[in-house]
Amino acid sequence: MIICRTKHELKQHLSSFRNENKGIGFVPTMGFLHEGHASLLRQAAAENNISVLSIFVNPLQFGPNEDLDRYPRDEERDLALAEACGIDLVFIPSVQEMYPERPLTSVIVNQVTDRLCGASRPGHFDGVGTVVSKLFHLVSPDRAYFGMKDAQQVAVIQQMVNDLNFSVQIVPSPIIREPDGLALSSRNVFLNAEQRVQAVVLSKSLEQASKWANEPEMTIERLETLVKEQISKAGEAEIDYVELLKYPSLQAPDANSAIATFSQPLILALAVKFGATRLIDNRIIETSEVNLHV
Ligand code: PAF
């Protein structure tokens, strides 16, 4: 496995692969890899001749009071996991290498960023769009792999790719969960034992919500309220948002409309804090699935 720390090294290695006409699969990450990342890495390795992983904790996507300084890192473990998953090349730039000067250009995706994490983390998706477009320019992948746990990120990046004509196929991958349902996240290590037990309420509420969504009279607003009530039963849970939106446009449907009447997928997205740790999770509610049960 090749390890590159500079853009120059990366370009040299990639140009030799490109001369051999090899398809490139790319998994951008911020490291501290878990089984969710591993499934993306294995998929990228299986579907492409060359698979590239980037590990870069991107300061641009963290707000001033967010967890940039305490974001977990373990390069040695990440490299071992990448190698075991069949990754060919890892790009691990420093902040200085990615941003030698404060960038004066950013990629701002409108509308799809109006709600959810776009609203509660102002500037977050400008940082994501900017770094992902830089990485796409550096790697020029044929396919790029993103986990659906960050469903809004997938929608934002797909929109950016469409609008700016990046010639890369975005491949969304399903959320990977612990046996009890908790979605895998690098931030789960910050939960104490009690918070870890309580955090299961997120996946349980999403599962319950997909059943409630089948009730013929269930409206958008009612479902959001029921889910908020369910989550609030976990003593330490502090809700940031619980929203049922159209996916992938992430626009809000009329709150009083019946869920069964929708002819497009909806997403139920949650962000909830347990102490200082903010977790996100979501479930796509296919309206065809809803209609089947009505
Ligand atoms: O999902 C992440 O880990 C990050 O937002 C990404 C896509 C690597 C950009 O920094």
Side-chain angles (χ1 to χ4, degrees):
M1 191 173 72
I2 301 163
I3 297 169
C4 300
R5 294 188 188 270
T6 65
K7 291 175 280 198
H8 180 72
E9 287 173 282
L10 176 71
K11 280 193 167 170
Q12 279 192 326
H13 283 290
L14 289 178
S15 67
S16 67
F17 293 142
R18 248 177 244 112
N19 291 341
E20 296 164 29
N21 224 358
K22 296 197 160 170
I24 296 176
F26 178 43
V27 186
T29 75
M30 299 204 298
F32 209 69
L33 306 178
H34 49 65
E35 193 45 42
H37 295 112
S39 80
L40 299 178
L41 299 179
R42 285 190 213 101
Q43 194 181 352
E47 293 178 356
N48 301 276
N49 300 123
I50 296 294
S51 50
V52 177
L53 159 70
S54 67
I55 298 176
F56 178 62
V57 182
N58 171 37
L60 281 196
Q61 69 189 72
F62 289 80
N65 300 317
E66 293 185 353
D67 56 355
L68 172 63
D69 292 338
R70 68 168 200 153
Y71 199 84
R73 296 160 206 246
D74 190 340
E75 188 181 300
E76 206 177 314
R77 197 173 58 98
D78 287 351
L79 292 176
L81 183 73
E83 190 149 34
C85 291
I87 290 296
D88 299 298
L89 187 154
V90 187
F91 178 47
I92 318 182
S94 64
V95 173
Q96 173 66 21
E97 180 67 15
M98 283 299 275
Y99 303 114
E101 286 166 14
R102 191 173 68 86
L104 301 180
T105 306
S106 25
V107 175
I108 298 172
V109 179
N110 294 306
Q111 283 189 34
V112 264
T113 56
D114 285 350
R115 308 182 79 96
L116 309 180
C117 293
S120 36
R121 302 182 65 189
H124 169 67
F125 285 115
D126 304 347
V128 171
T130 303
V131 80
V132 171
S133 67
K134 276 168 80 79
L135 291 166
F136 281 177
H137 284 304
L138 291 167
V139 177
S140 294
D142 298 283
R143 296 186 192 83
Y145 297 79
F146 293 89
M148 275 298 284
K149 187 171 79 66
D150 293 309
Q152 187 172 24
Q153 175 168 275
V154 173
V156 168
I157 289 168
Q158 185 63 68
Q159 187 69 45
M160 177 186 92
V161 162
N162 296 350
D163 289 344
L164 300 183
N165 301 104
F166 282 95
S167 52
V168 55
Q169 182 196 342
I170 301 302
V171 185
S173 289
I175 300 175
I176 307 293
R177 298 181 179 279
E178 298 281 5
D180 65 2
L182 180 69
L184 296 193
S185 162
S186 303
R187 291 183 169 99
N188 289 351
V189 290
F190 295 130
L191 298 170
N192 66 29
E194 178 54 28
Q195 291 164 346
R196 171 64 187 80
V197 170
Q198 292 196 12
V200 177
V201 75
L202 303 186
S203 56
K204 291 234 175 331
S205 303
L206 290 169
E207 205 178 316
Q208 177 62 51
S210 73
K211 296 188 183 114
W212 282 326
N214 290 322
E215 293 176 10
E217 304 301 318
M218 183 59 67
T219 64
I220 302 283
E221 189 173 37
R222 177 85 188 119
L223 189 72
E224 287 174 350
T225 304
L226 285 170
V227 172
K228 283 180 192 161
E229 284 170 5
Q230 179 99 344
I231 293 173
S232 301
K233 287 183 193 152
E236 291 209 39
E238 193 192 315
I239 296 174
D240 177 356
Y241 60 72
V242 170
E243 288 194 77
L244 187 57
L245 302 174
K246 297 178 195 167
Y247 195 80
S249 68
L250 295 177
Q251 296 303 294
D254 175 1
N256 296 317
S257 42
I259 293 172
T261 59
F262 282 87
S263 59
Q264 67 184 106
L266 299 170
I267 187 167
L268 180 59
L270 321 172
V272 178
K273 274 177 101 175
F274 292 86
T277 307
R278 182 176 175 279
L279 302 181
I280 58 172
D281 201 349
N282 70 76
R283 186 165 175 136
I284 298 284
I285 296 182
E286 296 282 349
T287 25
S288 56
E289 180 187 304
V290 173
N291 287 328
L292 275 180
H293 296 87
V294 172

